[in-house]
Amino acid sequence: MNIWNRKLGLVALAAVITGTLLSGCTKENVAKEENPENAALGKEVTLEMMTFSHTNWPYKENWPIYQYLKEETGISFKVQPVMSDYTTTMNLAISSGEIPDLMMVNSLNAANTHGESGAFVDYFEHLEQMPNYKKFLEDHPEVKAAILSPEGRNYFMPLYGLEQQSRRSWLYRDDIFKKHNLTPPTTYDELYTVAKKLKELYPDSFPIAVFNGLSPLVNMAPAFNTNSSYYYDFEKNEWRYGPTEANYKKMVEYMNKFYTEGLVAPDFMAHKRKQFNDLLLQNKSFIASDYIGIMDELPLMLGDKAAEFSLDYMVPPVGTPDGKSHNVFAGLQSDGFAVAANSKERDRLLKYLDFLFSPEGIELATWGREGETFTTENGARKFNPDYKEFGDLRTKTGIATIGAHTVLDMTAYESMYSPKMREAMKIAPDHETRPQPRLAYTNEENEVLSMVGETVKKFHEEQIAKFILGQKPMDDWDAYVNEVNKLGVQQVLDVHKSAYERTQKFLNEAK
Amino acid sequence: MSFELTGKGGCVFLQPQKNPGFLTKVKRDKYLLLLLLPCALYYIIFKYVPIFGISIAFMDYNLFKGITESDWVGFKYFSMFFNTPDFWPVLRNTFLLGLYKLIFGFPAPIILALLINEVSKSFLKRFVQTVSYLPHFISNVVVAGIAVMFLSPTGGVVNQLLSAVGLERINFLVEASWFRSIYVTTDVWQHIGWGTIIYLAALTAIDPQLYEAARMDGANRWKQALNITLPGIAPAIVIILILDIGKILEIGFEKVYLLATPATYETADIISTYVYRVGLTQGNYSYATAIDLFTGIISFIFIIAANSFSRRVSGSSIW
């Protein structure tokens, strides 16, 4: 019942605050209307926005990026930054009816559920007002396929660009490899041999660093031409369930071998990021699967002692003959903008969002303002030297923080990467799976997914974990497959299939 | 003003009654009542009104439409919960975890309180007390982190001790059979000191004369503890026990979620982690509320049963 306590508390608090601040607010608005500046844009308005505030670059009211956006569009925001538990705060705002004009929603599902019940604007009804957004969707059909509602409407405006940063990848300690004359593995057999060799050289080590339950398998699966969950097989044009496939079994066998021979930490499933980082930093692990960004981040943690320490991109090893040298591409960002259906300045707001999809808007959101955040030398742009790295830029200017952009041109930030990271970002796209479709489900489908789907998932994870740890012999594999199918794999597959077909239909109709 | 008849020695007198009406009383105590008002409002607004929120367990609750406009679906979500294959394992795990927590977590503070009570040096007494209740303030995230570190099969203190005495190392966190022990042990460690506070308070209420009399009769310290101290705090023990029995199914979500690994789901998947998975992460509030209501009812039955049992057996009870 906690949610109710908080809800009522918030409503009461909001009532008190609105009561006391009402007079102050209106005065402020009057003062702004008198401002003769920006006459061309119509009068200046202040709208409410709710957005996620990252702990590493918490929202600041005086961030220049919002100033620039205001100068371009005449819209400034009263931002409600949310540091943690965004889902609860978002739901509270919706259920209390105090929906801010512009709101970040953290899943397509949430946007659709509340959108269908009337909380949010359907962008498709206003596409003629939003030529840039329209064009963006035409240019990016994969994005368009990932933002529809089960009725073919659109309440979720995607963010595009930052996902490039959260790429998964295989990494290896190139300094250690060089020292011992080892070459990075290209297959799982080689991975096994080289890890074995490293274990001999460093008996205390666990050469392969993976962590957090069974999530390592997610990134390994493409090498075995399978997937750790339900997936759309783009080659065969069908929906499949990876964890029962023969290739998946091969992957589990490799993991079991790694586990038994001490090539991964015995308690890797219980490890969180801290333990993972420690293993790498203390020379106890040399090959890792994680976000590509740790290449630049981990050495920073070592400070001066980082001299030797070097992580480099490793081309994903292949597990089976039909496997691909791919990392899993996580796909589009889960956050997106939703506009409150009852916003008084709806049309202005739609125009504002459309501006963010225009070339000028993308440039402004990516670079900021010439002379202030960047300079141009010989036709090439450079960020001010005050910003030492990407995170620094975000902290100081608000550029590329959630809420201040829709599309980012990620090539702009390359100069802030280390040379090997820059190199890696060039190779990485060639070693990546196609993103899986992000689908919209109806209420009935959601029910199947949460009831049957979660039961299947739990059973699958539990059994796979036991196979890897050797608590269950591999001979029991067929029994496991039978059992998991009985729990309702087909039912869940059917949901994905029908949702996928529906999306395709909407997309084809639009053409 | 009303009058009543009082009889005394055969004579009958008419006498004004000393019992003013409700309104008169309100008027008389208006300032006192005004002081009470914020507190009463707090309970009404934050504790009683929210109770109507449980109605969403019987609705297809939609956040935007709210309680008034969402559609009623009756017991749909309850039967959904009873029919899921996870129902029995999850209920069993929750109950067993709660039971073990009660069996080991309940007597621990009593024993510690008795031990602290026997310490005669007041400095040592306070030191032990402070140190033992400090873990209560450590967040579950940190406790889980400490557990992972201590129990690590390679560098963990526990395993180093095991191998030092020639025993085999145990991979605690991926063995389903170890999960309950780990949970209960860390829980006892976290809350033992905090639990002693109430017993130590109860101990101060025991009349010192009883001890003097017992010493005169030749009772040693063990006999004194058994025959004076324990009976002295017995009412407190019973009340805490009844309250704890009511909480058997209320296992916090956080620590279980942090300590569980896929390999330990067999014993570690409890009602609250199940609710988190299928209710809250999927935005299914009705379902989550239905389950919450179900556990609430079970807890209520537990507490009523324990209370009446205790009233019949020991005479002391909450009501």
Side-chain angles (χ1 to χ4, degrees):
Chain A
M1 293 297 96
N2 215 349
I3 177 170
W4 286 99
N5 291 344
R6 274 191 258 167
K7 177 188 164 179
L8 276 155
L10 216 79
V11 172
L13 196 72
V16 173
I17 290 172
T18 19
T20 47
L21 293 187
L22 212 60
S23 51
C25 281
T26 35
K27 263 179 216 149
E28 203 180 320
N29 283 345
V30 172
K32 269 184 186 146
E33 275 166 36
E34 284 164 2
N35 191 348
E37 217 188 330
N38 290 319
L41 299 160
K43 67 174 184 228
E44 204 172 283
V45 285
T46 305
L47 300 176
E48 285 178 8
M49 171 160 77
M50 187 164 135
T51 182
F52 184 73
S53 178
H54 198 285
T55 31
N56 289 358
W57 28 89
Y59 171 81
K60 289 192 202 81
E61 227 169 289
N62 57 358
W63 264 346
I65 184 68
Y66 284 106
Q67 185 58 36
Y68 304 151
L69 285 167
K70 180 180 147 196
E71 283 162 16
E72 280 316 308
T73 62
I75 293 186
S76 56
F77 286 103
K78 205 174 122 229
V79 176
Q80 184 193 346
V82 181
M83 284 296 253
S84 67
D85 201 2
Y86 194 81
T87 313
T88 308
T89 321
M90 175 179 85
N91 287 338
L92 278 177
I94 293 167
S95 56
S96 67
E98 306 270 317
I99 308 177
D101 300 278
L102 185 59
M103 182 178 207
M104 193 56 67
V105 282
N106 59 0
S107 77
L108 174 66
N109 204 352
N112 285 338
T113 316
H114 304 311
E116 294 293 340
S117 49
F120 300 137
V121 169
D122 173 12
Y123 295 117
F124 283 175
E125 279 179 20
H126 305 279
L127 275 186
E128 75 284 358
Q129 273 170 270
M130 315 174 77
N132 292 309
Y133 181 48
K134 197 172 166 213
K135 182 162 185 308
F136 175 83
L137 291 184
E138 279 161 12
D139 293 346
H140 298 87
E142 82 285 2
V143 176
K144 188 173 178 183
I147 56 165
L148 297 174
S149 84
E151 276 79 19
R153 292 190 265 265
N154 173 217
Y155 306 100
F156 178 92
M157 183 171 278
L159 306 184
Y160 187 79
L162 270 184
E163 72 278 357
Q164 316 255 352
Q165 255 240 321
S166 49
R167 285 201 151 97
R168 289 249 157 209
S169 85
W170 279 96
L171 303 157
Y172 75 110
R173 283 285 301 273
D174 55 327
D175 53 331
I176 299 280
F177 271 62
K178 242 176 240 142
K179 193 167 144 196
H180 300 289
N181 239 339
L182 300 168
T183 43
T186 58
T187 66
Y188 269 70
D189 284 330
E190 285 175 32
L191 178 65
Y192 173 74
T193 346
V194 81
K196 203 82 182 128
K197 182 96 198 153
L198 283 162
K199 179 94 184 169
E200 271 163 34
L201 291 163
Y202 302 86
D204 277 351
S205 72
F206 307 104
I208 304 170
V210 285
F211 70 116
N212 194 14
L214 291 182
S215 57
L217 298 183
V218 175
N219 197 35
M220 288 179 177
F224 295 83
N225 194 23
T226 180
N227 187 295
S228 223
S229 182
Y230 308 88
Y231 69 110
Y232 189 72
D233 187 330
F234 290 101
E235 281 166 22
K236 298 195 177 108
N237 290 324
E238 60 179 14
W239 278 90
R240 304 165 67 98
Y241 182 60
T244 53
E245 293 177 348
N247 278 358
Y248 200 88
K249 186 182 173 190
K250 284 194 190 117
M251 171 167 74
V252 173
E253 279 166 347
Y254 271 109
M255 276 309 277
N256 174 252
K257 196 152 109 177
F258 295 163
Y259 174 82
T260 347
E261 307 210 10
L263 305 182
V264 293
D267 51 347
F268 76 93
M269 281 187 212
H271 280 188
K272 304 277 181 263
R273 176 161 295 281
K274 190 194 174 301
Q275 284 91 1
F276 169 83
N277 284 352
D278 285 351
L279 280 178
L280 284 166
L281 294 172
Q282 295 164 359
N283 287 344
K284 284 190 169 172
S285 282
F286 314 99
I287 302 166
S289 169
D290 194 32
Y291 290 109
I292 200 165
I294 63 162
M295 233 158 98
D296 280 2
E297 281 165 24
L298 277 188
L300 290 180
M301 289 184 187
L302 283 174
D304 299 339
K305 287 171 279 173
E308 301 267 288
F309 188 94
S310 169
L311 271 175
D312 205 350
Y313 182 84
M314 182 174 112
V315 172
V318 180
T320 47
D322 59 343
K324 299 180 182 70
S325 174
H326 280 172
N327 289 302
V328 158
F329 182 57
L332 299 161
Q333 291 205 71
S334 56
D335 299 316
F337 278 122
V339 170
N342 57 3
S343 167
K344 288 191 190 69
E345 296 285 347
R346 191 191 69 198
D347 293 338
R348 284 287 296 274
L349 200 48
L350 293 179
K351 228 172 117 187
Y352 169 86
L353 290 172
D354 190 54
F355 168 74
L356 289 175
F357 282 96
S358 71
E360 312 86 70
I362 295 171
E363 198 183 285
L364 184 70
T366 306
W367 286 95
R369 178 140 292 173
E370 176 144 25
E372 291 184 41
T373 52
F374 72 94
T375 49
T376 316
E377 275 170 42
N378 309 328
R381 284 183 179 170
K382 260 176 74 182
F383 280 104
N384 274 1
D386 315 358
Y387 319 128
K388 284 175 199 69
E389 31 124 31
F390 190 37
D392 207 28
L393 174 77
R394 297 167 103 176
T395 320
K396 285 181 178 152
T397 64
I399 287 174
T401 55
I402 302 290
H405 70 275
T406 57
V407 181
L408 289 174
D409 173 10
M410 293 304 284
T411 51
Y413 308 120
E414 269 176 15
S415 59
M416 301 189 149
Y417 298 147
S418 70
K420 58 182 181 180
M421 172 91 167
R422 225 174 297 161
E423 202 50 43
M425 289 297 270
K426 260 184 225 153
I427 319 166
D430 298 333
H431 290 279
E432 233 159 29
T433 54
R434 249 175 97 172
Q436 281 291 311
R438 180 165 64 191
L439 303 173
Y441 305 102
T442 64
N443 287 342
E444 293 74 42
E445 288 171 343
N446 267 326
E447 221 151 70
V448 176
L449 290 182
S450 66
M451 308 304 299
V452 186
E454 288 299 326
T455 308
V456 168
K457 188 172 169 223
K458 181 191 143 194
F459 184 78
H460 139 234
E461 287 193 348
E462 189 182 348
Q463 299 303 309
I464 296 297
K466 292 192 165 179
F467 282 126
I468 292 176
L469 301 174
Q471 294 173 358
K472 225 175 179 197
M474 288 311 289
D475 300 340
D476 286 357
W477 181 266
D478 292 335
Y480 147 75
V481 172
N482 276 334
E483 198 63 31
V484 77
N485 281 334
K486 248 189 256 162
L487 286 173
V489 169
Q490 193 56 43
Q491 244 176 305
V492 185
L493 270 176
D494 290 344
V495 164
H496 288 291
K497 209 172 145 224
S498 65
Y500 181 72
E501 278 161 11
R502 201 168 47 226
T503 309
Q504 293 304 310
K505 210 180 93 214
F506 290 133
L507 293 174
N508 291 333
E509 272 170 16
K511 280 175 197 162
Chain B
M1 192 163 278
S2 59
F3 296 88
E4 62 179 358
L5 296 169
T6 50
K8 218 176 198 178
C11 305
V12 174
F13 300 95
L14 269 180
Q15 214 174 345
Q17 197 198 18
K18 282 275 166 70
N19 194 8
F22 177 69
L23 278 178
T24 333
K25 275 200 269 184
V26 169
K27 213 170 161 191
R28 186 191 63 202
D29 299 334
K30 53 182 179 286
Y31 297 113
L32 286 175
L33 286 171
L34 205 63
L35 285 175
L36 179 74
L37 191 68
C39 190
L41 276 179
Y42 169 83
Y43 274 96
I44 292 169
I45 295 175
F46 295 108
K47 300 287 171 195
Y48 285 95
V49 175
I51 289 177
F52 295 103
I54 57 179
S55 58
I56 70 174
F58 307 97
M59 288 175 172
D60 228 337
Y61 182 62
N62 180 306
L63 268 178
F64 182 65
K65 285 186 188 160
I67 293 185
T68 45
E69 281 173 53
S70 297
D71 302 324
W72 293 93
V73 293
F75 286 91
K76 176 182 160 194
Y77 289 108
F78 289 90
S79 60
M80 223 152 100
F81 181 47
F82 300 145
N83 288 325
T84 155
D86 279 335
F87 174 70
W88 283 113
V90 160
L91 192 66
R92 198 194 77 216
N93 286 341
T94 315
F95 179 74
L96 285 179
L97 202 55
L99 191 69
Y100 290 145
K101 204 174 118 180
L102 184 76
I103 292 174
F104 294 99
F106 172 73
I110 301 174
I111 295 166
L112 184 66
L114 292 178
L115 289 175
I116 290 177
N117 192 47
E118 296 300 316
V119 175
S120 47
K121 291 229 174 13
S122 89
F123 165 77
L124 189 66
K125 206 167 170 174
R126 260 178 288 154
F127 178 76
V128 171
Q129 222 188 320
T130 313
V131 168
S132 66
Y133 78 61
L134 274 181
H136 180 77
F137 300 101
I138 299 176
S139 86
N140 281 326
V141 182
V142 177
V143 172
I146 293 175
V148 172
M149 245 159 51
F150 270 50
L151 298 174
S152 157
T154 47
V157 184
V158 178
N159 270 308
Q160 274 172 355
L161 278 175
L162 282 180
S163 67
V165 295
L167 291 168
E168 234 178 276
R169 285 168 182 262
I170 301 168
N171 202 348
F172 290 101
L173 287 160
V174 295
E175 296 277 353
S177 54
W178 275 102
F179 180 81
R180 289 185 187 127
S181 315
I182 295 169
Y183 182 89
V184 172
T185 317
T186 52
D187 219 69
V188 169
W189 175 73
Q190 266 181 291
H191 302 300
I192 187 169
W194 191 251
T196 59
I197 292 175
I198 199 154
Y199 298 116
L200 288 171
L203 280 170
T204 56
I206 298 174
D207 192 346
Q209 287 183 10
L210 291 172
Y211 290 106
E212 276 167 38
R215 268 200 297 276
M216 303 271 260
D217 290 344
N220 58 19
R221 294 194 81 159
W222 171 243
K223 289 273 182 198
Q224 285 173 39
L226 217 58
N227 293 306
I228 301 170
T229 318
L230 261 184
I233 58 171
I237 292 176
V238 170
I239 286 172
I240 302 281
L241 179 66
I242 294 169
L243 290 176
D244 276 1
I245 288 174
K247 282 188 215 146
I248 279 190
L249 287 189
E250 287 173 28
I251 307 275
F253 157 78
E254 212 175 27
K255 210 169 74 185
V256 177
Y257 185 74
L258 290 166
L259 282 174
T261 56
T264 56
Y265 282 163
E266 195 183 314
T267 49
D269 195 26
I270 61 168
I271 292 177
S272 54
T273 50
Y274 177 76
V275 168
Y276 175 78
R277 264 203 329 269
V278 301
L280 301 180
T281 53
Q282 311 276 344
N284 200 341
Y285 297 99
S286 295
Y287 191 51
T289 312
I291 298 173
D292 205 28
L293 188 55
F294 167 76
T295 52
I297 290 168
I298 303 263
S299 300
F300 190 64
I301 294 171
F302 275 173
I303 206 167
I304 298 270
N307 194 57
S308 66
F309 180 76
S310 150
R311 193 171 44 212
R312 236 175 289 159
V313 173
S314 73
S316 50
S317 64
I318 298 179
W319 65 86

